[in-house]
Amino acid sequence: MQIEVYPTCDSVKNLSGKTAIVIDVLRATSVITTALFNGAKRVIPAPSVDDALILARKFEGHVLLGGERGAVKIPGFDLGNSPLEYKKELVSGKTVILTTSNGTRAIKASESAEHVFIGCFLNASAVAEKALKLALLGEAPCVSIVCAGTLGEFSLDDSACAGLIVDILVRNIEREKEPPELSDLAFACRDLYLKYQSNLKAFISHAAHYKRLLGLGFEKDIDYCLQIDVIDCVPVYDKKTLEVKIVL
Amino acid sequence: MQIEVYPTCDSVKNLSGKTAIVIDVLRATSVITTALFNGAKRVIPAPSVDDALILARKFEGHVLLGGERGAVKIPGFDLGNSPLEYKKELVSGKTVILTTSNGTRAIKASESAEHVFIGCFLNASAVAEKALKLALLGEAPCVSIVCAGTLGEFSLDDSACAGLIVDILVRNIEREKEPPELSDLAFACRDLYLKYQSNLKAFISHAAHYKRLLGLGFEKDIDYCLQIDVIDCVPVYDKKTLEVKIVL
């Protein structure tokens, strides 16, 4: 089994036959995971604000429009990109159309994969186990972890989460006695995660994006997004319908 | 002062007003540094094998043709991509035309920078000090370390060398009492380097490219390329003449 990590959505290559796990810890994939866990019917990632508005018209308004530009809520949208906004009472049974600067682009960039899962610290074990199951069945022997990055650049928060997922995969594969093959970046991310696992926030505080969010008053979002394994479900992106759902 | 690291040549953005340090530890920038240290007049990086052959015709044969594809010497070329081949008695006073899979592409990708230096473990301190001098003079306040990577992917060997150069810069800036601003990847590379500095070879043995070179019998090259600060000069790429020289 192979495990590889891509540092940004722009760096993603052809993923055909592979399982992609898309990560944008701060905050798009944490938002998607939270919204679906809280009962949203589906999340539709939209590349641009215009795309989101056009989609919303198709649904004749029976949707929630969410997302950010420059980390803040888009004028006229119902919700921003804070996972704490996506409460059960607000999203349950609803369709959410989401457009963000990095995360929704990373999902689009992973469309060539056989399976596209949405991952973050919140559901790290769940998403790793789902990918591992497919690999052990021989369905998709390579797991490609796609970090969204921040504005086209490598991001410490995403790479730490990638490192955690690599570590879970490696530990579980070792149990299966099959040695995994790590790409250079998969090795480096795991190494960084293992070094800083006891104080993730201190590590991630060196990230440019962390500092930006902190300056905008989003510290509660950061604390929420850094919780590990508090959600036990995996959002799956359906390439045919272009929507993300939880598939049981 | 800002310090940023790019993981691959494909990820490089506009570097105007910045100092670029191009790194391809295994082996292109180690070859260029060695050839010029051993008295080569100039090294001309050529993007393709055809470009190299056309350039050689212009020089009417009075050149050495060097380089690799798939890590091995190109048929009809004088030299491969092993720094140990570029001995004084062979290269002294000569023009070398070099084409490699990653390193020469990374130099081209950095052409928008104000200054383009060639770096590797062999001349890490020399290249860091040269870039720092320019930054302190206010000439190029951002140092962009461009890792060539391997076939478009992040490479542990280049990132360890980037980490060493970041560390030298940070330690010397601290002496100047100006706090440097590190990009996320600059922070991560420095961290990895500091962890593994006492056994670089063990760390780099996890790199896919290391394993490939080892399999081809290039262990002596690897040992040579991992020596730190054995060469005290900095190859400079001249964007006008498209050649690399040592500028005293």
Side-chain angles (χ1 to χ4, degrees):
Chain A
M1 180 178 165
Q2 293 175 303
I3 308 172
E4 58 182 20
V5 175
Y6 290 93
T8 61
C9 37
D10 300 324
S11 66
V12 178
K13 297 184 177 169
N14 186 348
L15 303 181
S16 84
K18 300 178 177 181
T19 293
I21 299 176
V22 181
I23 294 175
D24 184 4
V25 167
L26 298 175
R27 298 165 288 169
T29 61
S30 300
V31 163
I32 294 171
T33 305
T34 301
L36 291 167
F37 179 69
N38 282 341
K41 198 173 167 187
R42 57 168 86 83
V43 176
I44 308 179
S48 71
V49 174
D50 282 355
D51 290 325
L53 290 166
I54 290 164
L55 260 173
R57 282 199 62 184
K58 277 192 192 162
F59 281 90
E60 293 175 351
H62 301 300
V63 291
L64 290 170
L65 265 174
E68 55 71 36
R69 284 300 178 271
V72 299
K73 194 174 124 176
I74 298 159
F77 273 42
D78 303 302
L79 298 161
N81 195 32
S82 162
L84 300 172
E85 293 178 79
Y86 290 73
K87 293 186 197 303
K88 199 166 189 164
E89 54 270 30
L90 205 63
V91 302
S92 186
K94 297 275 177 63
T95 291
V96 177
I97 298 171
L98 185 75
T99 181
T100 71
S101 307
N102 309 293
T104 49
R105 281 182 58 219
I107 296 171
K108 288 281 163 197
S110 306
E111 278 184 344
S112 62
E114 190 66 23
H115 308 276
V116 182
F117 300 152
I118 306 300
C120 51
F121 282 114
L122 304 171
N123 74 341
S125 287
V127 76
E129 279 159 24
K130 201 169 171 82
L132 186 57
K133 252 185 213 163
L134 290 171
L136 294 177
L137 286 170
E139 257 201 54
C142 179
V143 178
S144 306
I145 303 174
V146 175
C147 297
T150 303
L151 305 175
E153 298 210 1
F154 172 94
S155 181
L156 289 177
D157 41 305
D158 292 342
S159 60
C161 183
L164 164 62
I165 293 173
V166 172
D167 187 55
I168 298 167
L169 287 167
V170 169
R171 280 188 286 114
N172 282 283
I173 296 163
E174 277 169 2
R175 216 186 293 154
E176 305 286 333
K177 292 187 181 171
E178 286 181 30
E181 193 183 306
L182 304 193
S183 76
D184 284 28
L185 190 53
F187 179 88
C189 288
R190 183 187 185 207
D191 207 84
L192 285 168
Y193 169 74
L194 290 174
K195 180 172 173 188
Y196 289 104
Q197 58 182 324
S198 63
N199 198 353
L200 270 180
K201 199 174 172 184
F203 174 61
I204 289 170
S205 71
H206 295 284
H209 190 44
Y210 171 97
K211 294 172 197 164
R212 201 174 304 125
L213 288 177
L214 203 68
L216 289 164
F218 289 121
E219 188 166 12
K220 278 188 184 165
D221 276 13
I222 296 169
D223 291 336
Y224 173 81
C225 294
L226 297 189
Q227 298 175 99
I228 295 175
D229 288 342
V230 293
I231 293 180
D232 190 29
C233 64
V234 180
V236 178
Y237 177 67
D238 184 324
K239 295 185 287 180
K240 281 178 198 147
T241 60
L242 306 181
E243 56 191 40
V244 185
K245 280 183 175 177
I246 288 172
V247 182
L248 296 174
Chain B
M1 181 179 165
Q2 292 174 304
I3 309 171
E4 58 183 20
V5 175
Y6 291 93
T8 62
C9 38
D10 300 324
S11 67
V12 178
K13 296 184 178 170
N14 186 348
L15 303 181
S16 83
K18 301 178 176 180
T19 294
I21 299 176
V22 181
I23 294 175
D24 184 4
V25 167
L26 297 175
R27 298 166 290 170
T29 61
S30 299
V31 163
I32 294 170
T33 304
T34 301
L36 291 168
F37 179 69
N38 282 341
K41 197 172 166 187
R42 57 169 85 84
V43 176
I44 307 178
S48 71
V49 174
D50 282 355
D51 291 325
L53 290 166
I54 290 165
L55 260 172
R57 281 199 63 186
K58 279 192 192 163
F59 281 90
E60 293 176 351
H62 300 302
V63 291
L64 290 170
L65 264 174
E68 55 72 34
R69 284 300 179 272
V72 298
K73 194 174 123 175
I74 299 160
F77 274 42
D78 304 302
L79 298 160
N81 195 32
S82 162
L84 299 171
E85 293 177 79
Y86 291 73
K87 293 185 198 304
K88 200 167 188 162
E89 53 270 33
L90 204 63
V91 301
S92 187
K94 298 275 178 62
T95 291
V96 176
I97 297 171
L98 186 75
T99 180
T100 71
S101 307
N102 309 294
T104 49
R105 281 182 58 220
I107 296 171
K108 288 280 165 199
S110 306
E111 278 185 342
S112 62
E114 190 66 21
H115 307 276
V116 182
F117 300 153
I118 305 300
C120 52
F121 282 114
L122 305 171
N123 72 342
S125 287
V127 76
E129 279 159 25
K130 201 170 172 83
L132 186 58
K133 253 186 213 164
L134 289 172
L136 294 178
L137 286 170
E139 258 202 53
C142 179
V143 177
S144 306
I145 303 174
V146 176
C147 297
T150 304
L151 305 175
E153 297 209 1
F154 172 94
S155 182
L156 288 177
D157 41 307
D158 291 341
S159 60
C161 183
L164 164 60
I165 292 173
V166 172
D167 186 54
I168 298 167
L169 287 168
V170 168
R171 280 188 286 113
N172 282 283
I173 295 163
E174 277 168 3
R175 216 186 294 154
E176 305 287 332
K177 292 188 180 167
E178 286 181 30
E181 194 183 307
L182 305 192
S183 76
D184 285 28
L185 190 53
F187 179 89
C189 288
R190 184 188 184 207
D191 207 84
L192 286 167
Y193 169 73
L194 290 174
K195 179 172 174 188
Y196 289 104
Q197 60 182 322
S198 63
N199 198 352
L200 270 181
K201 198 173 174 185
F203 174 61
I204 289 170
S205 71
H206 296 283
H209 190 46
Y210 171 97
K211 294 171 194 162
R212 201 174 304 125
L213 288 177
L214 204 70
L216 290 165
F218 289 121
E219 188 167 12
K220 277 188 185 166
D221 275 12
I222 296 169
D223 291 336
Y224 173 80
C225 294
L226 296 189
Q227 298 174 99
I228 295 175
D229 289 342
V230 294
I231 292 180
D232 189 28
C233 63
V234 179
V236 178
Y237 177 66
D238 184 325
K239 295 185 287 178
K240 282 179 199 149
T241 60
L242 305 180
E243 56 191 41
V244 185
K245 280 184 173 176
I246 287 172
V247 181
L248 297 174

